[in-house]
């Protein structure tokens, strides 16, 4: 077996989810590519004294279910999955679909119904278990990244097994600044947006919830967001690639949304009342991830980026916005992507993707590698 798989598995079991004796851990995977990692995860959960459970799925089968799914059927699926999840102390998900657009032709109404009915499972998993979600390198991911499979695997393991403990320590200064900040202003091409984060906790993400990782998140005060934002990273959501997404925002609400498919993006934002408000603001910090590959677990960690997320907030930074949607949209502010500025209470803290204050410079990419 590739020693890199053993290293990644131990990171997931012993660092990300900190499996302890007696912990029941659901290992959930999609596609066939992750099986070597799944087998190693089972061994390592046992070695840590935990009790592994395994669940597999395949996107083409999910598509067939969703095309004909009815409300009562989805409610029963939710009841079953939620009852099982409530017995778990930990959750590790490994995703490796062969076709990232497999759900592209499922009607938006069906996707929205699916997310609405199964959101309690997601909420319980996120808020009540020790969890980590990651992708697994396969040909589909390598193609999205524009790389050979071999080159992508090298990139993947560099990103996923970096020194997250060192990153965690470097994040402390940013957390402290965000915790005492009221007003945030973001500028860049097509963007001038401001909001408050006062009273909402800043949370470090350094390998303990996602792999790859590297972000600090909070949430905007729900009705405080005003201005205009244009995201420059494409976003694959519900099987469709949205590009050139832009929002006009008034008192927290997205009042105008444009993209390469205007009817489709507005249907998505009409999922429920909370979908047109924001539930997360996060700053991307991973020094190895520089370009989008339409995989949000990677793209939201891009060095010099931020994401401002329509939809559901997290319990750790609860701004009162609840939705079945949580759509991470990314803007890269590095110079080669058009540049941009980030201000905390009027102080310029990041320009063109690089932190300026001395206490935050350890988070710049040359210091994290």
């Amino acid at each position: 077996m590739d020693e890199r798989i053993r290293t990644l598995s131990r990171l997931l079991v012993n660092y990300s989810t900190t499996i302890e004796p007696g912990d029941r851990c659901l290992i959930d995977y999609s596609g066939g590519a992750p099986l070597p990692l799944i087998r190693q995860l089972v061994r390592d959960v046992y070695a840590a004294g935990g009790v592994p459970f395994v669940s597999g799925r395949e996107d083409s089968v999910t598509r067939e279910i969703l095309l004909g799914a009815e409300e009562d059927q989805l409610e029963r699926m939710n009841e079953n999955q939620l009852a099982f999840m409530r017995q778990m102390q930990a959750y590790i998900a490994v995703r490796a679909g062969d076709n990232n657009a497999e759900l592209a032709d499922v009607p938006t109404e069906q996707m929205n119904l699916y997310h609405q009915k199964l959101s309690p499972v997601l909420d319980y998993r996120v808020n009540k278990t020790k969890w980590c979600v990651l992708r697994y390198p396969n040909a589909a991911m390598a193609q999205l990244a524009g790389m050979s499979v071999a080159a992508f695997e090298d990139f993947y393991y560099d990103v996923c097994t970096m020194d997250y403990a060192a990153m965690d320590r470097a994040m402390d200064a940013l957390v402290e600044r965000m915790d005492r900040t009221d007003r945030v202003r973001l500028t860049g091409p097509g963007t001038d947006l401001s909001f408050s984060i006062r009273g909402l906790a800043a949370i470090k993400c350094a390998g303990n919830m996602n792999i790859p990782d590297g972000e600090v998140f909070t949430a905007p005060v729900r009705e405080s967001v005003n201005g205009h934002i244009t995201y420059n990273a494409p976003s694959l959501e519900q099987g469709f690639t949205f590009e050139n997404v832009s929002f006009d925002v008034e008192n927290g609400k997205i009042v105008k949304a444009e993209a390469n498919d205007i009817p489709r993006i507005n249907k998505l934002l009409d999922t429920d009342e909370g979908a047109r408000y924001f539930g997360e603001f996060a700053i991307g910090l991973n020094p190895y991830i520089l370009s989008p590959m339409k995989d949000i677990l990677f793209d939201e960690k891009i060095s010099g980026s931020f994401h401002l997320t329509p939809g559901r907030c997290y319990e750790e930074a609860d701004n009162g916005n609840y939705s079945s949607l949580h759509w991470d949209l990314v803007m890269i502010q590095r110079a080669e992507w058009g540049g941009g500025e980030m201000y905390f209470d009027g102080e310029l803290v990041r320009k063109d993707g690089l932190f300026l204050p001395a206490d935050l410079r350890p988070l710049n990419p040359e210091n994290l590698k």
Side-chain angles (χ1 to χ4, degrees):
M1 176 184 290
D2 192 329
E3 182 59 32
R4 298 179 300 184
I5 291 177
R6 291 192 179 95
T7 300
L8 178 56
S9 178
R10 288 193 291 266
L11 176 72
L12 293 167
V13 171
N14 300 321
Y15 176 79
S16 299
T17 56
T18 59
I19 300 298
E20 299 175 350
D23 280 350
R24 292 184 292 272
C25 177
L26 176 59
I27 303 167
D28 187 23
Y29 73 94
S30 63
L35 288 175
L37 176 59
I38 302 306
R39 289 190 289 266
Q40 187 62 42
L41 283 168
V42 170
R43 298 184 193 109
D44 288 334
V45 170
Y46 275 135
V51 183
F53 297 81
V54 177
S55 173
R57 68 186 71 185
E58 213 287 326
D59 287 344
S60 64
V61 176
T62 301
R63 173 183 174 274
E64 295 298 333
I65 291 288
L66 294 181
L67 286 172
E70 297 181 352
E71 187 170 350
D72 179 71
Q73 175 187 1
L74 294 175
E75 287 177 351
R76 292 177 184 273
M77 287 173 60
N78 170 64
E79 291 172 3
N80 181 54
Q81 293 182 26
L82 183 58
F84 188 58
M85 188 65 71
R86 282 177 170 157
Q87 301 177 58
M88 300 295 116
Q89 284 76 49
Y91 174 86
I92 299 172
V94 186
R95 305 287 184 236
D98 294 324
N99 177 10
N100 290 292
E102 187 63 40
L103 304 181
D105 58 354
V106 177
T108 302
E109 295 81 2
Q110 286 295 95
M111 290 299 305
N112 289 347
L113 182 64
Y114 173 70
H115 288 299
Q116 287 170 0
K117 294 303 178 184
L118 271 74
S119 63
V121 181
L122 176 62
D123 290 343
Y124 187 89
R125 186 261 291 174
V126 167
N127 296 317
K128 304 299 182 183
T129 72
K130 301 179 290 185
W131 60 273
C132 189
V133 177
L134 68 154
R135 300 289 191 258
Y136 190 83
N138 63 359
M141 286 186 68
Q143 188 173 41
L144 282 175
M147 302 168 71
S148 69
V149 172
F152 182 76
E153 286 181 350
D154 289 341
F155 160 74
Y156 174 90
Y157 286 108
D158 282 344
V159 170
C160 291
T161 60
M162 67 174 289
D163 188 348
Y164 283 111
M167 173 187 280
D168 184 277
R169 293 189 295 271
M171 288 175 169
D172 286 338
L174 180 56
V175 169
E176 291 172 8
R177 277 184 173 263
M178 292 173 70
D179 280 343
R180 66 175 186 261
T181 293
D182 178 6
R183 302 296 304 178
V184 175
R185 183 184 176 202
L186 306 169
T187 65
T191 297
D192 193 343
L193 193 80
S194 62
F195 50 88
S196 173
I197 57 173
R198 185 176 182 179
L200 290 154
I203 308 298
K204 295 187 293 184
C205 297
N208 55 344
M209 287 183 284
N210 290 153
I211 294 288
D213 217 342
E215 65 173 282
V216 175
F217 78 88
T218 184
V221 174
R222 189 175 185 268
E223 284 81 25
S224 71
V225 189
N226 283 283
H228 183 81
I229 184 168
T230 301
Y231 300 92
N232 55 11
S235 174
L236 182 63
E237 179 69 15
Q238 298 186 4
F240 179 80
T241 299
F242 291 91
E243 297 178 333
N244 304 313
V245 173
S246 66
F247 297 144
D248 288 339
V249 188
E250 295 178 2
N251 300 322
K253 186 176 183 179
I254 299 168
V255 295
K256 181 180 180 181
E258 295 185 330
N260 53 327
D261 189 327
I262 293 176
R264 189 165 192 148
I265 193 172
N266 280 283
K267 274 189 176 182
L268 187 59
L269 293 171
D270 288 336
T271 299
D272 50 40
E273 195 265 344
R276 285 189 178 266
Y277 290 83
F278 296 93
E280 181 188 7
F281 165 61
I283 299 172
L285 301 165
N286 194 301
Y288 292 100
I289 307 177
L290 300 176
S291 300
M293 50 178 284
K294 293 190 290 185
D295 187 312
I296 196 55
L297 285 183
F298 284 76
D299 294 356
E300 67 179 359
K301 317 302 190 320
I302 289 172
S303 180
S305 74
F306 68 85
H307 50 281
L308 187 65
T309 303
R312 182 181 59 257
C313 64
Y314 288 117
E315 190 173 87
E316 300 97 322
D318 189 345
N319 72 345
N321 195 51
Y322 310 117
S323 172
S324 61
L325 181 72
H326 181 92
W327 186 16
D328 292 315
L329 289 165
V330 176
M331 180 180 179
I332 307 169
Q333 291 186 303
R334 300 200 314 274
E336 63 268 33
W337 285 83
E341 294 79 34
M342 181 179 295
Y343 297 87
F344 289 173
D345 290 330
E347 178 186 2
L348 180 61
V349 295
R350 197 176 76 173
K351 181 174 176 60
D352 296 344
L354 295 176
F355 290 104
L356 304 179
D359 60 320
L360 298 183
R361 289 176 193 167
L363 288 170
N364 285 333
E366 68 273 14
N367 298 318
L368 283 178
K369 286 188 174 181

